[in-house]
Amino acid sequence: MEEKEQFAPNEIVKDGKVTRRTFVKGAGWLTITSAIGASALGCAPSKQGAEEEPLAETGPVADPEEGFTYKSACCSVNCTSRCHLRARVKDDKIYTVTPGQMPGRDDYANCCLRSIGLGTRTHDESVRVMHPMKRTGERGSGEFEQITWEQAIDEIAERMEATKAQYGPKACGFYSFTGNLSKLSWEAPTRFAGTYGATAFDIEGIMGDHGATMGMTLCFGQGRGAHDTRDYLNSKMVVLWGRNVADTHTSEFRYLVKARENGAKIVVVDPRLCSTAAIADQWIPIKAQTDPALALGMMNVIISKDLHAKDWLVANSVAPFLVRESDGALLRDGEGEDAAWMVWDTAANQAVPNTTEGVTAALSGTFEVNGEACRTAFDHLCDEVSKYTLEYTSEITGLDPEVIETFAMDYINAQPAGIRMGQGMQRVYNSHSPFRTVATLAAVAGYIGVKGGGASHAGGTASIRSTPGVTIPAFNYDEWADTGANEVNMVKSSTLYDQIITKDPNPIDFMWFANSNFINMSPDANKIINEVLPNISTIVTVDPYWTWTAKYSDYVLPACN
């Protein structure tokens, strides 16, 4: 396969400045005058017949950059892009926010509308928390009084100690979410919990249901596998499955646009006509929560037409592993975790360890090993997918059978096709299932580990992954993680409601919310307000802004933006 050249999209702005070279390319912007009228831009023509007024004499033109400096920052919200922002500052006020260059990534100058608005929002004292505040009215009333830092620290510490004395340190809960993924901001509450022996909440997979991680680990041995979006420039087809990239990962969207310009077919699988569908060649309006059925139905089409990647499956998957008919367990060469898996060697006509050099493993078939009937794992997969006929899959997903079949055929014939999955797919019961089945679909097609292929959940430039040219760690992690004699009691965040309401297994009585508008971003706000929060004696919120959660807190502390 010929790899497509990875051209960087044309940039109008570089390091926050319009360049001469790119200005010509952006000259089309000037046509806006024809759309909104020249007068709207202060260029209204003079009235017909009116005498022209002489131009006033002017002095030297002032330098528009006089007094301004540029400050750099890294955007740390949860799209994982980590965009370099350039703030134009004068007299301690941010006037504009523009994209800056990412080290080692000349194609990655990004700045979405959210980050552009940070300048205005940062200076808006009507939405910012400017001082330590203590509640004076009912929770939710928004009635607070300003207090000093000394008073806030003393009173919060006193309440923590009271909860600890009554229930133990694990009754103090610290909840840090995705509002700010900067290392110190995100991890400081968990470290605080560790030093106190308190409880913190693992938000892996968002809300701690671990769906994507569990599903992809079962398939890949890698939780929430990532994929560089630039690789889609090598794809003939890109499937955005439950992923609204245009709104939720704006910095990556350009590569999908470029992939389409390169000839890739873009398919969006989403119950909603989301913004990303604007560039799609096809929108597949699947019924919510039925993603596994569609993937299984597609596998049935591919396998029944004998189009599955047989060589890939034998060489790279568990498909040829033998499964005992008696109990459904995989057959192994001995006991213990290190025992090899058994496959049927078609050349030797016997079962051998999968690690045997030169083995030619059977992908399908029934065999007898030491008096035990065995079949391949692939045959077991075929048994399951065969249930998902076009008609049955259509009944479950709400899609026309012809749409399902055409989608499956387009996918397998693309050679290659890439899939990007999104968080929406795991907002269901058995949340691992959508990721597991879609990842298995990609394996059946032989698209795992090939350029332009893959079935990925994540992308972007996360803080835990290195950036080209930047190799120095931000801080000494070992020292940071050392919390002395105490350690954090880490539990899944999906258990938070029940722990607070039932007081089991930890009688949570004190909550510290940071980097999180907990009420707004968690399921069932009514339950939180009416059942969860009333069972907490003290609520502290640390946030730059007056959020919904802040208004239901007893103490609100200002945080950096």
Side-chain angles (χ1 to χ4, degrees), residues 384-396:
E384 293 303 312
V385 302
S386 65
K387 302 173 185 177
Y388 288 82
T389 63
L390 289 173
E391 292 72 22
Y392 184 50
T393 306
S394 172
E395 180 182 341
I396 296 173

Side-chain angles (χ1 to χ4, degrees), residues 209-456:
D209 58 13
H210 297 258
T213 296
M214 291 179 64
M216 299 189 82
T217 299
L218 287 168
C219 289
F220 299 152
Q222 169 65 50
R224 299 176 75 189
H227 192 186
D228 192 320
T229 310
R230 291 172 292 177
D231 183 49
Y232 293 136
L233 300 179
N234 301 312
S235 304
K236 299 294 181 61
M237 181 180 188
V238 180
V239 180
L240 303 169
W241 204 313
R243 185 83 176 195
N244 183 14
V245 182
D247 289 339
T248 64
H249 212 158
T250 311
S251 61
E252 304 282 293
F253 192 57
R254 64 181 68 185
Y255 302 113
L256 297 172
V257 173
K258 187 63 178 178
R260 189 171 187 272
E261 291 174 355
N262 284 348
K265 180 177 181 179
I266 307 294
V267 179
V268 169
V269 181
D270 198 311
R272 309 163 304 139
L273 185 62
C274 63
S275 301
T276 304
I279 68 160
D281 297 283
Q282 183 179 13
W283 169 46
I284 297 180
I286 188 173
K287 188 184 297 182
Q289 303 186 21
T290 64
D291 307 276
L294 177 57
L296 289 164
M298 291 173 67
M299 279 188 267
N300 190 22
V301 171
I302 292 168
I303 294 172
S304 65
K305 294 181 181 294
D306 198 33
L307 296 173
H308 51 292
K310 303 176 189 64
D311 292 343
W312 189 97
L313 288 165
V314 169
N316 301 289
S317 77
V318 302
F321 290 8
L322 295 177
V323 180
R324 295 197 298 253
E325 289 287 89
S326 60
D327 59 5
L330 287 164
L331 187 65
R332 305 191 73 167
D333 183 29
E335 303 294 332
E337 294 182 359
D338 296 330
W341 312 101
M342 300 299 285
V343 299
W344 189 264
D345 189 345
T346 58
N349 199 33
Q350 65 179 6
V352 300
N354 71 304
T355 54
T356 303
E357 187 175 351
V359 62
T360 304
L363 180 62
S364 178
T366 301
F367 312 97
E368 185 173 314
V369 182
N370 298 326
E372 179 88 46
C374 300
R375 290 196 301 149
T376 65
F378 181 73
D379 281 354
H380 282 272
L381 174 66
C382 292
D383 289 347
E384 293 303 312
V385 302
S386 65
K387 302 173 185 177
Y388 288 82
T389 63
L390 289 173
E391 292 72 22
Y392 184 50
T393 306
S394 172
E395 180 182 341
I396 296 173
T397 62
L399 301 172
D400 188 275
E402 185 178 351
V403 170
I404 299 168
E405 184 174 31
T406 301
F407 183 27
M409 293 301 295
D410 286 349
Y411 178 71
I412 192 62
N413 289 325
Q415 299 298 322
I419 297 176
R420 174 63 60 85
M421 295 176 273
Q423 297 282 31
M425 293 171 63
Q426 66 177 9
R427 300 290 189 264
V428 297
Y429 287 109
N430 299 312
S431 57
H432 67 287
S433 185
F435 289 85
R436 185 183 188 185
T437 49
V438 174
T440 303
L441 167 65
V444 166
Y447 287 153
I448 304 300
V450 301
K451 291 183 182 298
S456 301

Side-chain angles (χ1 to χ4, degrees), residues 7 18 35 89 100 147 159 196 225 229 235 291 336 344 347 411 433 458 463 472 480 490 497 517:
F7 293 109
V18 177
V89 179
I147 59 176
R159 293 195 177 212
Y196 200 67
T229 310
S235 304
D291 307 276
W344 189 264
Y411 178 71
S433 185
S463 56
I472 301 173
W480 172 255
M490 185 67 72
Y497 295 9
N517 185 1

Side-chain angles (χ1 to χ4, degrees), residues 10 288 306 446 537:
N10 293 333
D306 198 33
S537 68

